[in-house]
């Protein structure tokens, strides 16, 4: 069973294209992380907000291993300036 991370991302108005370019460059950092299974970035057609969906082997793979890695710091630094507010993150178990 895997864990699904759901990160809701609010990007600064007018910064969407630059955010998407930065994410394309940063995405391998998360894809190569220990325990990463799959990830997808989606954008709402109604609100322009983004949702990042990441499937991890375990919760610990995300909150302990990835978050404490140099790759996370690089991922964070590449994207953080584009956010209008701090992302919200939830984790879900498969049922």
């Amino acid at each position: 069973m895997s864990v699904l991370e759901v990160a809701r991302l609010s990007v600064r108005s007018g910064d969407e294209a630059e955010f998407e370019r930065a994410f394309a460059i940063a995405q391998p950092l998360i894809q190569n992380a220990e325990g990463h299974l799959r990830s997808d970035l989606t954008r709402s057609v109604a609100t322009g907000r983004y949702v990042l969906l990441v499937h991890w082997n375990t919760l610990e793979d995300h909150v302990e291993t990835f978050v404490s890695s140099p790759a996370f710091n690089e991922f964070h630094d590449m994207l953080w300036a584009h956010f209008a507010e701090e992302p919200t993150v939830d984790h879900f178990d498969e049922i």
Side-chain angles (χ1 to χ4, degrees):
M1 221 188 278
S2 65
V3 171
L4 174 63
E5 170 195 358
V6 177
R8 292 165 194 84
L9 313 173
S10 178
V11 172
R12 294 180 193 277
S13 180
D15 208 16
E16 295 85 359
E18 185 59 34
F19 167 73
E20 291 175 17
R21 280 191 290 277
F23 184 83
I25 295 167
Q27 190 170 17
L29 295 166
I30 199 167
Q31 289 175 328
N32 294 325
E34 182 180 328
H36 173 272
L37 299 173
R38 189 176 114 228
S39 54
D40 299 292
L41 180 67
T42 61
R43 183 176 58 182
S44 168
V45 295
T47 66
R49 291 183 56 107
Y50 293 80
V51 174
L52 175 60
L53 305 170
V54 185
H55 294 264
W56 298 95
N57 276 323
T58 67
L59 178 63
E60 291 75 21
D61 285 333
H62 176 231
V63 299
E64 293 176 14
T65 306
F66 181 61
V67 170
S68 65
S69 73
F72 173 78
N73 292 331
E74 190 174 348
F75 184 82
H76 176 278
D77 291 347
M78 292 175 80
L79 301 176
W80 198 261
H82 301 288
F83 296 143
E85 58 190 55
E86 188 168 338
T88 59
V89 178
D90 290 307
H91 297 91
F92 298 89
D93 284 323
E94 291 181 0
I95 298 180

